[in-house]
Amino acid sequence: MTDVTTGLLPSGRPNADETAKRTKARNAAEARFKLYGIVAIAIGLFFLVALLFSIITNGVGAFQQTFVKVSIPLNAEQIAAAEKSVVKTSKYRAMIEAALADKIMAAGYKTEFTDPRKLGDILSSSAAAQLREHVLANPGDAGKTIDFQFLASSRVDGYLKGRVTRAALAEDKNLDAGHLDLVDQMKADGTVVKHFNWDFITGSDASDSRPEQAGIGVSMLGSLFMMLVVLFLALPIGVAASIYLEEFAPQNRWTDLIEVNIANLAAVPSIVFGILGLAAFIQFANLPQSAPLVGGLVLTLMTLPTIIISTRASLKAVPPSIREGALGIGASKMQAVFHHVLPLAMPGILTGTIIGLAQALGETAPLLLIGMVGFIASNYPDGIADGFLHPNSAMPAQIFEWAKRADPAFYERAWGGIIILLIFLAIMNITAIILRRRFERRW
Amino acid sequence: MLVFWVFVSILIVAAAGYFLGRTRALSSAGGDIRQLHSVPGYHGTNVFLFTAVPSLLVMAIWLLVQPLAVQNAVTSMIPADAVPAGSSMSIIMADVQRVADGLDTAIQAGAMTEEQASSLDAASTDVRERLAKVGVALAGDVRPEVLKAAQRYRALTATGSLSLAIVSVVLALGGFVMAWRQIAPRFRARNTVEAFVKGLLIAAASIAILTTVGIVLSLIFNTIEFFGLYPATDFFFGLTWVPSFGGGSELGILPLLWGTLYISFIALAVAVPIGLMAAIYLSEYASPMVRNFAKPLLEVLAGIPTIVYGLFALLTVGPLLLSVFGDNTVGWMQAGTAVMTAGLVMGIMLIPFVSSLSDDIINAVPQAMRDGSLGLGATHSETIKQVVLPAALPGIVGAILLAASRAIGETMIVVLGAGAAARLSLNPFDAMTTVTAKIVSQLTGDADFASPEALVAFALGMTLFVITLGLNILALYIVRKYREQYE
């Protein structure tokens, strides 16, 4: 015993000075260690805040869009001429540009441009199509002067949101600093306005040259159809598999194999499921590429392990006395499970399913391989069958698509898309938490 | 479309079977339910199951097998000498498929009648132009044997669907009649239904196995095909990665593996200390209030989709790092996408993963061990460092291995944040690329699946699958072993 202590206390008795020193050092070590823990948590929380801050500051802009108000006298002859020409929108474009030039003249804005075409650069190239659609939908408007709100070009929009600077425009062929002087004047008297942009939420994706028109609505539908597939396949299959494994399976090699399999499938990288989808569903079974049905099937396989694991946990949480009570009054094993255990486990199962769905909703990598990226989701599916089988994008795939494009105006869209995606995920997770709090039973 | 209606009608017949079966069971007992062995609902369910399940099962298998069988039959029609040099049978079969699909589209669009489509002759009509009119773009002119094969393909497919419809309807009606005739007061309907349901439950449980088998098969077959076109030694030991779809690519995996491991290393270097310390603090020091506040917030990081982290890396972290380490200051970094960018962001993503796993493991260490140490006069931190952590070490190692397998398999962060250049470099501020990023880039776009440049993605996927599976099995084994130690 003394051998051990001699090293520490040479005199054989505690030296008050040294003990005090050692105690101090030990307490300091204790405080340091505790501090490391606090710092670690603070760093983690800091990252969370930084991430959310970055999403919100960059993404909020996508929900606002700049519009230019122009009144256009609709002339029946001009419309007829435009409809006859080969490139119809170019004639409509000329009508808009002329009206805009008139407006600028009348309002007396100072500008160096005299060519209406040059003035028209502040408008989105979608303006002509918008005018044409209106004309075709309301043939009675010919002869009247109608007030329109056209999307401003993405450069003008970026200027008003602070994304595009005059310095940056020097290298840009699409817009000059002179345009910005004009926009400043038009903004001052309310011809150029910025307001909430519903088209971003409900609209469809647009081509590379029209970031101001791009919206996430169509890919949202794509995601919805995929989630329907996941829900209707993963929930029944997952619940059935869990019931078997938890309630009926004998302890043998086969069930062991299944258990190990499920544990491993839960940790297989999602991209591998994409490869499986490509090889099995597209190459082998010849299902259509980019279709939400295929995306849903892949995500089903991916979420099954999650659902099975959580379902088994909630089946396990139902006390054996329930089963024994049912069996005791003459129910068969199947009846005991389906009539008594399953209903009691249902809140837990639903919570697990919602969390699995949320995970599937945000997953991107497998969708890249089955061709849901690179496809411009520009049309709404017509009808239910079309929604499942017609090529579409999905929200995360659409965000990825925007992030890849060269024009920084699309980055704002990507961040905005993330805000919408995160809102959906937050709603799903909060529903899951409420379900758990509300219906969870402690036995 | 025919198949869809057959499906619907089978379901309708089966649903009708349920109600009819129930009524018949009751009337067979003369309206006295006590005479029946099983309640009428079970008799109805029995009819439903016998009508729907066998026929739908046959339908599903048929739909899977038919394309294969048709493919085989059509492949044998194309003589081997019709395959031009530099092409392969699978490329020609893809052409056949495209022409057949094109003919279908043309008929739907009303540009051709059914007879015209099956009697088209490549010598007399320009099939490519006719299909282009209805919006079907073909890469080259349609050769006569391809058109023949495509017509045969359509004919076989049509015959197949028709026979499928007949077989499944016959099966459904047969099942209906059989179950219908079984209905009698003494018939043990509940037992048959329960056996049936149990079979369905087993089938559902086996889907997990099927998925694994599917993954392995789809990887293996394509990998073997790849190694037939490209030597395996060059793939595993090649130091350069230069794919070119024109041919003459160099497809060495080592630069990709290096990028993957480097990024994962940085990610773990960020996530493990932070995650572990956070877990220790939360489980050993934090008051319940702090714990209830900080733990869910940290776990929010785990619920954020990886595409968000990817965008964060590309547009926020990358430019930030560039402004610190870029040409204006120390000049280490050329572009925002780099190993450091991806590694750092992936580290953030893994923090909650490491912390919640370690939290569980630390909590599993028995309280008696802590009490013993504290009783001997150790401080709290000494207890943690010298008793709790050594006891939890195997579990923590398992958790780190799981995190490593996550990092290796992560795709979106590296696709957006790590760059596209495959290089072997030590500088963490260089752009590099990973196995997962290259799987994506080789399989997206219009690459033809038969070329080595596309097939290499399956070999990469196989490598990735084997590595992550190995890590997972090892980690699960360690964690399980560790749990048993204290249970």
Side-chain angles (χ1 to χ4, degrees), chain A residues 388-400:
Chain A
F388 285 115
L389 292 170
H390 200 264
N392 200 337
S393 191
M395 271 198 280
Q398 181 72 69
I399 293 167
F400 177 68

Side-chain angles (χ1 to χ4, degrees), chain B residues 310 313-314 318 336-343 411-419 432:
Chain B
L314 177 71
T337 52
V339 170
M340 200 57 170
T341 316
T411 310
M412 294 322 292
I413 295 176
V414 292
V415 166
L416 286 169
M432 283 184 218

Side-chain angles (χ1 to χ4, degrees), chain A residues 256 259-260 263, chain B residues 394-395 398 473-487:
Chain A
D256 256 13
E259 305 238 3
V260 173
Chain B
I473 290 179
L474 185 64
L476 288 176
Y477 173 76
I478 293 176
V479 171
R480 198 178 274 188
K481 194 93 185 167
Y482 161 78
R483 285 225 179 98
E484 280 165 7
Q485 205 177 333
Y486 292 117
E487 258 167 17

Side-chain angles (χ1 to χ4, degrees), chain B residues 74-89:
Chain B
V74 174
T75 310
S76 62
M77 274 180 64
I78 297 180
D81 55 324
V83 181
S87 175
S88 73
M89 202 54 157

Side-chain angles (χ1 to χ4, degrees), chain A residues 26-27 29-31 33-41 43-45 47-48 50-52 54-55 58 236-245 248 254 257-273 275-276 278-280 282-286 289 301 304 308 330-335 338-339 359 361-365 368-369 371 373 396-397 399-400 403-404 411 414-415 418 421-422 425 429, chain B residues 42 63-64 67-68 71 97 153 190 193-195 197-198 200-202 204-209 211-212 214-215 218-219 222 270 273-275 277-278 280-282 285 290 293-294 297-298 300-301 303-309 311-312 314-316 344 348 351 377-382 384-385 389 402 405-406 408-412 415-416 436 439-440 443-444 449 457-458 460-462 464-465 468-469 472-473 476 480:
Chain A
R26 287 174 67 195
N27 283 342
E30 172 75 26
F33 192 74
K34 210 168 158 180
L35 186 69
Y36 295 152
I38 296 177
V39 168
I41 290 178
I43 293 177
L45 295 183
F47 282 140
L48 178 64
L51 185 60
L52 294 180
S54 158
I55 293 169
N58 288 306
I237 294 177
V239 170
S242 321
I243 290 179
Y244 178 70
L245 292 175
F248 294 100
W254 180 245
L257 187 67
I258 296 182
E259 305 238 3
V260 173
N261 232 299
I262 290 171
N264 279 316
L265 274 183
V268 167
S270 57
I271 184 105
V272 172
F273 284 99
I275 296 182
L276 169 70
L278 177 70
I282 293 178
Q283 275 184 320
F284 180 75
N286 277 320
Q289 248 193 342
L301 295 182
L304 259 182
I308 292 180
S332 69
K333 189 126 203 256
M334 197 67 78
Q335 286 171 328
F338 277 90
H339 295 176
Q359 196 188 342
L361 182 64
E363 191 55 62
T364 324
L368 303 186
L369 295 192
V373 166
I399 293 167
F400 177 68
K404 275 194 325 178
Y411 295 162
W415 287 113
I418 282 179
L421 181 64
L422 288 185
L425 292 182
N429 281 298
Chain B
Y42 277 111
L63 284 177
L64 278 179
L68 271 190
Q71 197 102 358
Q97 186 96 42
Y153 182 93
R190 192 188 44 133
V193 166
E194 285 183 354
V197 169
K198 198 164 170 188
L200 291 180
L201 294 183
I202 293 176
S206 309
I207 283 186
I209 300 265
T211 311
T212 312
I215 289 177
S218 60
L219 287 172
N222 288 300
V270 172
I274 297 179
M277 282 313 292
I280 290 173
Y281 185 81
L282 285 177
Y285 287 105
V290 173
F293 169 76
L297 275 186
L298 274 185
V300 169
L301 280 176
I304 291 177
T306 54
I307 176 79
V308 181
Y309 285 108
L311 208 64
F312 186 59
L314 177 71
L315 299 178
T316 308
L344 203 62
I348 299 175
I351 291 173
T379 63
H380 208 149
S381 67
E382 284 163 354
I384 295 166
K385 278 188 278 192
L389 284 188
L402 280 181
S405 122
R406 262 285 172 92
I408 289 172
E410 173 50 45
T411 310
M412 294 322 292
V415 166
L416 286 169
T436 49
I439 294 177
V440 171
L443 283 182
T444 49
F449 284 132
F458 293 97
L460 292 175
M462 188 80 200
L464 181 70
F465 182 69
T468 51
L469 191 71
N472 291 337
I473 290 179
L476 288 176
R480 198 178 274 188

